[in-house]
Amino acid sequence: MTAMTKWINEVGPQNDIIISSRIRLARNIRDYPFPIALIKSKSKEIIKEVSDSVISGCEILKNEFLLQEMEFLNPLDRQVLMEKHLISPNLISNADKAAVMMNGDESISIMINEEDHIRIQCLLPGLQLDEAWSMADKVDDLLEERISYAFDEQLGYLTSCLTNVGTGIRASVMVHLPALTMTGYINRILQAANQIGLAVRGIYGEGTEFAGNVFQISNQLTLGRSELDIIGNLKDVSRQIIQKERDARATLIENSKLQLEDKVCRSYGILANARILTSQEAMKLLSDVRLGIDMGIINGIKCKNLNQIMIMTQPAFLQKLANKALSTNERDTRRASLVREKLGSE
Amino acid sequence: MLCENCNKKPATVHLTKILNEKKAEHHLCEQCATQQEGVYFDTSYSINNFLTGLLDSIQDSPIKIDYIQTTKCDKCGMNYGKFKQLARLGCSQCYNAFQEKLGPLVKRIQGNEIHVGKIPRKAGGAILTKKEIKSLKVRLDEAIRKEDFEHAVLLRDEIRELESKLGD
């Protein structure tokens, strides 16, 4: 099920620290009320207008994109899409009016009737913000061939929330920063990021905790700066964070090699043997093992790609694999056995 | 500092109790603090309240009660009170309807007022055409003032052509 999702399965540049890069563009169609004030019949018109312009706009895309209306998708499948970061929680809460279009490798998802009529999202593994922007920009041009966007000379692209007005762009990277967390430097980094207009969140968006030392860093402001400026700023900061994390990893090896090896190997030992694993414990231990693999402390594991395990051990994904609803206890058992299987020796 | 009650989470609430002239200090995490007797604090913080809360603090145009009740977007029916509550606009026309209040709010949230960056080809094309018409009209007025009617006729035709292009 993760087989086709590009960001989960493929390796990108700087993948040992930057898990994924994402560009999201918010767009609205002129002359329709925003989704918050939209009646259902109108929402269907919008879904049709957007899907028509994707499908008829370009021969190549015709067979690439699949349209899924949220109301015809069962709650578990919706949740799986969210756990794969392809749709937002907001799209699910708008299920009766919303839809999503995704391409074959799920690197592009076009959310329809989320907070805005159109949310173009491009998601790639590793540090590939420019590549993701270029994809999103093309999809945007394609949609605009048929759709008239709500655009104002002064304010730019008009959005339902003022925090998106202007470029409508949200650029973000998902980063794994275990060494900065262990050495305690993380707070300074997060503060610095905040000061230059970047927001730091847990991986499932606003209000989620920093599970497994994974952070999401994104631009906060969307007006008065060009897309390339915004992306350039995030890219520069990402490069600095990569350097700081590498330095912190080197410091750990230099000053506390044995302790680090002990921590990583203990975590691996638990993951490789546990019979019950909560989601939170799994995330925490997987972070150690990921660090261990990246630093060459752990070798010879079957599954090199911890992104897969991270996503497959999420609640909805486990239920999808089991093909039935599972209680929390059942999930914890299944999670443990899935991790044991994936982390077994070659 | 860790919470003295659960010893797990960082202490973010620092409480000084004075009871019978005896002073006691407590350092608690938010969760433990809410369970303390006699401690009330609002945890219903949301980004919506925060954003629209700024509206009330904008100094240059004090809100009048009738503004809240009567200012309404003709297109989607969103009124200003509802916008404040939802922190979401109902349609692109709302930007005009609440312009007076939105201008300063946009500046506060974004630190900027003018879009820089991508312009959609279609909508953007119309914007450029409108700008051109505006400048041609200025030149037309000038030509008429100077009684250069030959030139004025040419300018008038040019404006008409652009206007018909806009109408398409």
Side-chain angles (χ1 to χ4, degrees):
Chain A
M1 249 185 324
T2 66
M4 52 194 181
T5 314
K6 193 178 175 96
W7 81 266
I8 302 172
N9 291 291
E10 291 179 20
V11 175
Q14 320 281 1
N15 229 167
D16 57 329
I17 293 169
I18 311 275
I19 299 173
S20 65
S21 302
R22 187 182 74 120
I23 296 289
R24 184 272 275 154
L25 299 176
R27 300 288 186 255
N28 284 288
I29 306 176
R30 211 178 62 193
D31 301 331
Y32 278 107
F34 295 153
I36 200 173
L38 201 61
I39 54 167
K40 195 170 171 177
S41 63
K42 290 273 180 198
S43 73
K44 296 287 169 188
E45 286 176 30
I46 290 171
I47 293 174
K48 189 165 184 315
E49 201 168 320
V50 176
S51 61
D52 280 356
S53 46
V54 172
I55 289 163
S56 59
C58 178
E59 270 304 309
I60 312 161
L61 294 179
K62 199 170 188 167
N63 302 314
E64 259 257 37
F65 274 86
L66 183 74
L67 173 73
Q68 277 182 316
E69 293 191 42
M70 282 298 120
E71 64 175 339
F72 304 130
L73 209 59
N74 69 53
L76 190 61
D77 288 328
R78 294 175 195 166
Q79 202 70 28
V80 168
L81 288 178
M82 195 189 88
E83 288 174 356
K84 285 157 83 178
H85 300 252
L86 301 174
I87 64 170
S88 63
N90 213 354
L91 197 79
I92 295 179
S93 45
N94 265 1
D96 60 325
K97 296 175 191 165
V100 62
M101 296 187 81
M102 287 172 300
N103 66 342
D105 66 7
E106 299 180 343
S107 56
I108 303 172
S109 59
I110 304 168
M111 286 178 259
I112 309 173
N113 295 328
E114 209 250 20
E115 186 182 286
D116 297 300
H117 294 143
I118 301 169
R119 290 268 173 109
I120 303 164
Q121 175 184 281
C122 294
L123 186 55
L124 292 173
L127 184 60
Q128 299 195 68
L129 285 166
D130 290 328
E131 291 79 358
W133 158 245
S134 135
M135 280 165 73
D137 191 28
K138 282 195 190 105
V139 175
D140 186 37
D141 287 345
L142 173 75
L143 288 176
E144 209 231 327
E145 278 175 23
R146 294 208 156 202
I147 291 171
S148 296
Y149 282 146
F151 183 85
D152 178 80
E153 206 175 325
Q154 293 242 318
L155 288 173
Y157 293 95
L158 300 177
T159 53
S160 187
C161 184
L162 296 179
T163 52
N164 295 310
V165 76
T167 53
I169 197 173
R170 192 77 63 210
S172 66
V173 286
M174 189 156 74
V175 291
H176 181 231
L177 306 174
L180 284 171
T181 310
M182 281 180 212
T183 51
Y185 285 119
I186 192 72
N187 289 329
R188 268 193 251 170
I189 303 266
L190 302 186
Q191 262 172 18
N194 264 316
Q195 274 167 3
I196 53 171
L198 297 172
V200 184
R201 305 191 180 121
I203 54 170
Y204 285 99
E206 270 169 57
T208 56
E209 286 195 32
F210 302 128
N213 302 320
V214 178
F215 303 81
Q216 187 182 291
I217 305 172
S218 62
N219 65 301
Q220 277 175 308
L221 304 181
T222 53
L223 182 66
R225 278 174 163 200
S226 73
E227 291 84 355
L228 290 179
D229 268 0
I230 290 169
I231 292 164
N233 185 27
L234 181 62
K235 217 163 54 180
D236 289 348
V237 169
S238 302
R239 289 219 183 87
Q240 282 195 50
I241 290 179
I242 291 170
Q243 194 50 51
K244 297 269 187 255
E245 171 68 20
R246 293 241 161 89
D247 292 349
R249 289 181 186 187
T251 311
L252 281 176
I253 282 285
E254 206 179 297
N255 299 339
S256 16
K257 187 162 186 266
L258 193 64
Q259 286 86 341
L260 178 69
E261 285 175 349
D262 182 62
K263 184 178 168 73
V264 164
C265 294
R266 276 169 187 270
S267 296
Y268 176 62
I270 296 173
L271 286 178
N273 292 287
R275 296 302 193 261
I276 299 167
L277 264 182
T278 65
S279 169
Q280 217 175 354
E281 188 183 13
M283 284 295 277
K284 188 170 157 281
L285 299 173
L286 281 169
S287 169
D288 294 341
V289 171
R290 189 192 281 265
L291 179 68
I293 295 173
D294 290 341
M295 296 182 74
I297 298 170
I298 298 177
N299 294 300
I301 295 177
K302 235 194 284 175
C303 176
K304 300 274 185 305
N305 188 340
L306 289 213
N307 289 343
Q308 282 178 4
I309 304 181
M310 191 172 84
I311 300 302
M312 289 172 95
T313 52
Q314 300 290 326
F317 220 110
L318 285 171
Q319 297 179 66
K320 187 73 190 166
L321 285 173
N323 218 357
K324 61 175 183 187
L326 302 170
S327 70
T328 313
N329 290 341
E330 287 171 325
R331 287 204 298 266
D332 291 350
T333 318
R334 292 215 175 222
R335 180 176 297 115
S337 81
L338 181 89
V339 170
R340 277 206 313 277
E341 183 204 319
K342 289 271 175 191
L343 286 186
S345 46
E346 275 173 313
Chain B
M1 188 192 301
L2 287 176
C3 167
E4 61 183 40
N5 191 34
C6 66
N7 270 318
K8 283 179 190 155
K9 296 193 169 173
T12 51
V13 178
H14 307 281
L15 198 66
T16 309
K17 263 188 191 172
I18 301 172
L19 198 64
N20 300 330
E21 292 180 2
K22 274 188 188 157
K23 190 172 153 188
E25 283 187 5
H26 298 284
H27 307 280
L28 303 160
C29 69
E30 196 174 305
Q31 265 168 355
C32 293
T34 48
Q35 284 156 17
Q36 286 277 307
E37 222 178 304
V39 176
Y40 303 99
F41 65 101
D42 188 13
T43 52
S44 64
Y45 169 84
S46 86
I47 190 76
N48 290 0
N49 298 343
F50 181 73
L51 288 181
T52 45
L54 290 173
L55 281 169
D56 298 329
S57 64
I58 287 170
Q59 305 274 318
D60 50 3
S61 55
I63 296 186
K64 298 178 194 103
I65 293 198
D66 55 333
Y67 187 91
I68 293 172
Q69 284 160 354
T70 59
T71 310
K72 200 172 148 185
C73 172
D74 293 335
K75 186 95 182 287
C76 70
M78 176 75 76
N79 65 35
Y80 183 74
K82 199 167 168 207
F83 163 65
K84 270 197 67 181
Q85 183 198 332
L86 299 170
R88 299 286 183 279
L89 295 160
C91 70
S92 49
Q93 207 53 45
C94 289
Y95 278 91
N96 295 331
F98 310 127
Q99 194 180 23
E100 187 190 337
K101 303 303 294 183
L102 285 188
L105 185 60
V106 165
K107 180 124 200 248
R108 280 232 175 160
I109 292 174
Q110 295 278 357
N112 264 303
E113 290 166 300
I114 308 285
H115 171 60
V116 177
K118 188 169 179 175
I119 293 176
R121 267 171 297 173
K122 253 191 302 183
I127 286 165
L128 293 177
T129 312
K130 273 186 210 159
K131 273 189 178 164
E132 208 178 326
I133 292 173
K134 224 175 172 179
S135 84
L136 283 172
K137 280 184 174 164
V138 173
R139 281 167 60 195
L140 177 65
D141 287 345
E142 211 172 308
I144 292 171
R145 217 180 45 235
K146 287 183 187 160
E147 298 185 3
D148 180 358
F149 297 115
E150 221 169 308
H151 192 202
V153 169
L154 289 175
L155 286 168
R156 186 202 61 196
D157 291 347
E158 214 174 320
I159 291 169
R160 276 192 190 157
E161 202 188 316
L162 286 176
E163 277 175 341
S164 74
K165 223 162 79 183
L166 269 184
D168 286 344

